[in-house]
Amino acid sequence: MAFTMPLNASDTPNQYQAMNRPDSEGNRDAMDMEVGTLKDMKSWDIVPHTKVMNILAGTWPFKCKRFPYGRVKKLKTRPCVQDVYGEMPRGYRKDGHVSKLQRCLYGLRQILKNFFKHLGDTLPDFGMPQCQFESYILATAHVIFLVYIDDCLFFAKDDKYIQELLSKIDNKGLKFTLEEDAAGFLGVSLNKIAGKIQLLQTSLIDKIVETLGQQVAESAFTPAEMQCFGKN
């Protein structure tokens, strides 16, 4: 069975919605932090607007990230533009001026390719070559590093190895925003029970039940084959 429903509409507001709801202060803080980070990285120059410039519109996509059980984890946003000259981010504009990009921002078609190439060119300097068969996996003797679009996961038996690597990466000009753990990143709760790993995503389950109007539905046992199906 397959169905489509707006489960996360409230978690992905536009700018007007984000600025006019109870968590607006948190969304504004996320905007300030993102613009501050981009300024520190010298991502753009502010230049006078001229008629010959092709200025593409900018936008602020917002995202409310949640823990697996539904509690808000982080309010996130970033300014997006589509070409060399772009509108200055809403809320931070200067009359008669636009942004001339010096670095890739979200919305540029080449950003993911450039980001991945930058990682591939930089991380081998730390003894972290790409896997021969899975290019999104890089590893040292102590750390495994996975890349998913613009998100990265670090795994190690001891956290000190990750911190040592992050310190080297930071000195190379690669800036990472640290999350708490892989479970929070995935939106799935990982629990070890009696030698087994339990995966839970209770918040998503609750949203599906609510959307289908099944809050008071009675459970029923549905028989199913317990053995693995073989290939035809």
Side-chain angles (χ1 to χ4, degrees):
M1 179 179 71
F3 52 89
T4 301
M5 53 187 173
L7 287 179
N8 296 314
S10 63
D11 286 348
T12 54
N14 58 37
Q15 186 174 10
Y16 177 80
Q17 294 168 332
M19 295 294 101
N20 292 277
R21 55 191 235 173
D23 58 2
S24 60
E25 184 176 348
N27 286 318
R28 183 69 193 195
D29 289 343
M31 294 170 65
D32 290 340
M33 182 176 69
E34 184 67 17
V35 168
T37 299
L38 293 174
K39 285 182 177 179
D40 290 342
M41 297 179 67
K42 297 179 173 57
S43 299
W44 59 61
D45 291 331
I46 299 176
V47 298
H49 181 194
T50 65
K51 294 181 179 179
V52 299
M53 293 177 178
N54 178 28
I55 310 299
L56 296 202
T59 186
W60 281 101
F62 289 82
K63 175 66 176 177
C64 175
K65 300 187 72 173
R66 297 181 181 275
F67 288 100
Y69 43 86
R71 184 169 64 85
V72 174
K73 178 182 181 182
K74 181 171 64 174
L75 298 174
K76 189 175 180 181
T77 187
R78 48 174 53 97
C80 297
V81 294
Q82 303 288 330
D83 213 334
V84 176
Y85 291 101
E87 290 182 342
M88 295 180 65
R90 294 179 183 177
Y92 304 86
R93 291 177 178 171
K94 182 179 179 181
D95 289 344
H97 289 72
V98 296
S99 299
K100 182 179 180 181
L101 300 188
Q102 303 299 325
R103 292 177 179 268
C104 283
L105 295 186
Y106 267 74
L108 293 171
R109 287 171 292 184
Q110 67 269 33
I111 183 174
L112 295 181
K113 177 182 177 181
N114 289 347
F115 174 70
F116 194 75
K117 183 179 184 301
H118 188 45
L119 287 179
D121 292 343
T122 304
L123 294 182
D125 293 345
F126 308 126
M128 181 172 275
Q130 289 178 274
C131 175
Q132 180 180 356
F133 303 105
E134 301 290 352
S135 59
Y136 61 90
I137 300 176
L138 302 94
T140 68
H142 301 290
V143 180
I144 296 175
F145 178 57
L146 306 182
V147 183
Y148 178 72
I149 307 179
D150 67 328
D151 291 312
C152 306
L153 292 173
F154 293 85
F155 295 92
K157 290 185 177 180
D158 193 319
D159 186 62
K160 72 176 183 180
Y161 296 120
I162 296 177
Q163 296 304 322
E164 290 173 357
L165 179 61
L166 286 175
S167 178
K168 294 178 181 178
I169 290 175
D170 185 75
N171 291 334
K172 198 74 173 181
L174 288 172
K175 305 296 182 181
F176 287 93
T177 300
L178 302 183
E179 302 284 353
E180 294 181 8
D181 54 28
F185 166 79
L186 296 171
V188 177
S189 177
L190 307 176
N191 302 314
K192 292 184 179 180
I193 302 177
K196 297 181 179 180
I197 297 178
Q198 181 187 58
L199 305 180
L200 293 177
Q201 202 169 19
T202 54
S203 177
L204 179 59
I205 293 173
D206 291 341
K207 287 182 179 180
I208 293 175
V209 170
E210 180 181 354
T211 300
L212 296 178
Q214 299 296 306
Q215 296 95 320
V216 295
E218 296 182 0
S219 61
F221 175 73
T222 302
E225 175 60 53
M226 298 295 292
Q227 301 300 320
C228 296
F229 290 104
K231 293 184 178 179
N232 291 332

